[in-house]
Amino acid sequence: MQFLAEITSGLAAMAAAIYCFVLARRLKRFNQLETGMGGAIAVLSAQVDDMTRALERAQATAGTSERQLRALTERAEAGAEKLELLLASLHDLPEDGEPRRRVLRRRHRETDMEAAQ
């Protein structure tokens, strides 16, 4: 009986050794940098780094563009206000054929102001 237990434990040890050998070979192939998952992981890591740098450059460019667009918008709004004032002042001009009216404005002198008081 004891002999049978020793043979069984020896066979189990040999089976475990063979299983470990097979797993070691599979793990070695899995981690190879050129053809296995190790290579794929290295390539993906490099791509993530490249994409991170590209994203940072895009964010910086977007910030610059936003500031430029804001400045141009403010200039356009100021120009629009000036145009509105010019258009409003055009309504005061006489039509063609109508005589121009002249408006005389006198400056108040200090003596005129004192007399009015």
Side-chain angles (χ1 to χ4, degrees), residues 14-39:
M14 286 181 76
I18 292 171
Y19 184 69
C20 287
F21 178 71
V22 170
L23 283 179
R25 286 183 62 200
R26 284 186 181 177
L27 185 61
K28 187 176 182 181
R29 277 185 290 177
F30 183 76
N31 286 332
Q32 284 179 346
L33 286 177
E34 295 169 359
T35 58
M37 283 300 271

Side-chain angles (χ1 to χ4, degrees), residues 86-98:
L86 287 172
L87 283 174
S89 67
L90 284 177
H91 292 294
D92 295 341
L93 292 177
E95 297 282 330
D96 289 338
E98 286 185 27

Side-chain angles (χ1 to χ4, degrees), residues 1-115:
M1 183 72 137
Q2 187 178 11
F3 181 68
L4 189 62
E6 287 178 7
I7 289 178
T8 307
S9 67
L11 288 175
M14 286 181 76
I18 292 171
Y19 184 69
C20 287
F21 178 71
V22 170
L23 283 179
R25 286 183 62 200
R26 284 186 181 177
L27 185 61
K28 187 176 182 181
R29 277 185 290 177
F30 183 76
N31 286 332
Q32 284 179 346
L33 286 177
E34 295 169 359
T35 58
M37 283 300 271
I41 291 171
V43 168
L44 287 175
S45 177
Q47 288 177 343
V48 166
D49 290 341
D50 291 342
M51 291 301 291
T52 301
R53 280 188 236 111
L55 179 63
E56 289 171 353
R57 284 193 306 267
Q59 287 174 336
T61 303
T64 303
S65 297
E66 184 266 338
R67 286 188 293 274
Q68 290 174 349
L69 185 59
R70 185 179 307 271
L72 287 174
T73 303
E74 289 171 357
R75 275 185 60 199
E77 287 175 354
E81 289 176 6
K82 288 179 183 177
L83 282 175
E84 287 175 3
L85 285 173
L86 287 172
L87 283 174
S89 67
L90 284 177
H91 292 294
D92 295 341
L93 292 177
E95 297 282 330
D96 289 338
E98 286 185 27
R100 294 183 98 186
R101 297 182 199 157
R102 293 187 60 128
V103 177
L104 294 177
R105 296 183 185 161
R106 296 183 183 191
R107 296 184 185 206
H108 294 279
R109 296 186 183 143
E110 289 181 22
T111 57
D112 291 339
M113 301 256 320
E114 291 174 3

